[in-house]
Amino acid sequence: MTALNERGEIVIIGAGLIGLSLAFELRRRGARVAVFDRFEPAKAASWAAAGMLAARTEEIADEPMRVLCNDALENFPAFVDAVREASAVDPQLRRDGIVQAAFDDASLERLQARARALAAEGVGHTLLDAREALQLEPALASTVRGALLTHDEGSVDNRLLGRALLAALARMHVQVATSEEIELEFDARRVCGVRTRWGFRPAEIVVNAAGAWAPHLAGVPDECRPPVEPVKGEMLALAMPHDFVRHTMWLGGCYVVPRTDGRLLVGATGERVGFDHRITAGGQRQLLDRVLAGAPSLAGFSLVEQWSGLRPGTPDERPILGRTPRDGYLLATGHYRNGVLLCARTAELLADEIERGTPIDPAFSLARFSNNEAAVGA
Ligand code: GLY
């Protein structure tokens, strides 16, 4: 196969963490790459996320997705090292584990069962009784019954990761063009390139990494449109004293993620309301009720930020990766709740497919949606 540096340009539509990670990976392998987006880079869901690396804590039952997320978790530190080195920006990866707290008999039993399952998989974890849970995380409600610490998980500062990728790509002379209206052009067999306000730009490969907007790119044949739907997540942040909450935690109905700048992120709602991304009284009340039930001592802290984002959801909650019916047109979207965790692994899989034709697990193909019956129109 022709080396990437001797092949035509690869255009990536979408300057979120998925698109930027793919551009970084392809450029490292020698490809000519450009990234286009209608909006600001590293914003939308990539900016709104909490950056949890929760491959185990999410308790993913679907086997292909579980394998993908576990692989992603293992590969993540090497990716962050590479981005940090290429950009001189530290995305603040934390791998100090995630705590799940139980506040009643049923959730305690569920955590105990979960600990047995993790032991069977050989995943490092610690089951804590109530006293140990409060020692580890004194902010927890005194009614806590126990907790499970899953060791190799954690978080990354997704906003810093976006900034780091943009800095790395700038140093690698990769164009990231934003505020661009883009139309894709195809012939009967394959993608030909993209049209922007600057004119037509031929491309050997075009990758759609446009997140929740992926089904709506102009010029794309219907059979190549992924069945992706926005799922709104509202978030908020509190300002807390240093280390008041030490770990990322699941509190039953919400999660909290500490940042080194003193913010504690609280998330997230999940609503299928189209592209409506308003921050609502009901959404914020839900988050505050849940977080204060699990950690009442947070009540006195300042509310410093409220925001929302649109996750790209798919009918089976798996991402859509790889080929479409038109040659050269690939998808990397639909990452739903796991876009940050999956950005590096997605980049590696897509780059392997582009560079060497390595097939991606068909469980993630567009074709799984029964002859594309589920594909949506423009
Ligand atoms: N990854 C957590 C969320 O989507 O809310």
Side-chain angles (χ1 to χ4, degrees), residues 194 265 307 330 334:
V194 295
L265 313 193
W307 69 98
L330 306 181

Side-chain angles (χ1 to χ4, degrees), residues 52 58 255 268 311 337:
M52 275 190 300
E58 285 267 351
Y255 53 78
R311 309 173 184 91
R337 296 176 58 85

Side-chain angles (χ1 to χ4, degrees), residues 118-134:
L118 290 174
E121 284 176 47
V123 174
H125 64 281
T126 310
L127 196 56
L128 306 166
D129 63 20
R131 192 183 50 83
E132 291 165 333
L134 283 168

Side-chain angles (χ1 to χ4, degrees), residues 78-101:
F79 170 73
V80 169
D81 286 348
V83 175
R84 190 191 300 107
E85 194 176 321
S87 65
V89 177
D90 182 2
Q92 298 190 358
L93 174 65
R94 295 174 63 154
R95 296 193 78 204
D96 46 0
I98 294 184
V99 172
Q100 275 174 281

Side-chain angles (χ1 to χ4, degrees), residues 49-52 54 58 233-235 250 255 267-269 311 336-339:
M52 275 190 300
E58 285 267 351
E234 289 192 36
M235 301 273 300
W250 286 82
Y255 53 78
T269 62
R311 309 173 184 91
Y336 188 38
R337 296 176 58 85
N338 292 295

Side-chain angles (χ1 to χ4, degrees), residues 19-151:
L20 296 175
S21 301
L22 178 57
F24 178 70
E25 183 63 28
L26 286 166
R27 188 72 197 115
R28 284 207 292 173
R29 298 183 189 202
R32 285 196 293 127
V33 196
V35 185
F36 290 88
D37 202 311
R38 278 172 63 192
F39 307 115
E40 274 186 79
K43 283 286 164 77
S46 299
W47 185 87
M52 275 190 300
L53 305 173
R56 329 277 195 204
T57 300
E58 285 267 351
E59 291 186 42
I60 298 161
D62 179 60
E63 183 60 12
M65 187 61 180
R66 203 177 62 80
V67 170
L68 183 72
C69 289
N70 286 344
D71 288 350
L73 185 66
E74 267 166 43
N75 292 357
F76 211 86
F79 170 73
V80 169
D81 286 348
V83 175
R84 190 191 300 107
E85 194 176 321
S87 65
V89 177
D90 182 2
Q92 298 190 358
L93 174 65
R94 295 174 63 154
R95 296 193 78 204
D96 46 0
I98 294 184
V99 172
Q100 275 174 281
F103 297 96
D104 56 35
D105 286 347
S107 47
L108 187 60
E109 275 165 31
R110 215 177 46 75
L111 284 193
Q112 288 160 344
R114 185 68 193 138
R116 288 193 291 276
L118 290 174
E121 284 176 47
V123 174
H125 64 281
T126 310
L127 196 56
L128 306 166
D129 63 20
R131 192 183 50 83
E132 291 165 333
L134 283 168
Q135 261 169 4
L136 187 71
E137 287 293 350
L140 284 169
S142 57
T143 51
V144 70
R145 301 287 311 281
L148 177 65
L149 172 70
T150 307
H151 293 173

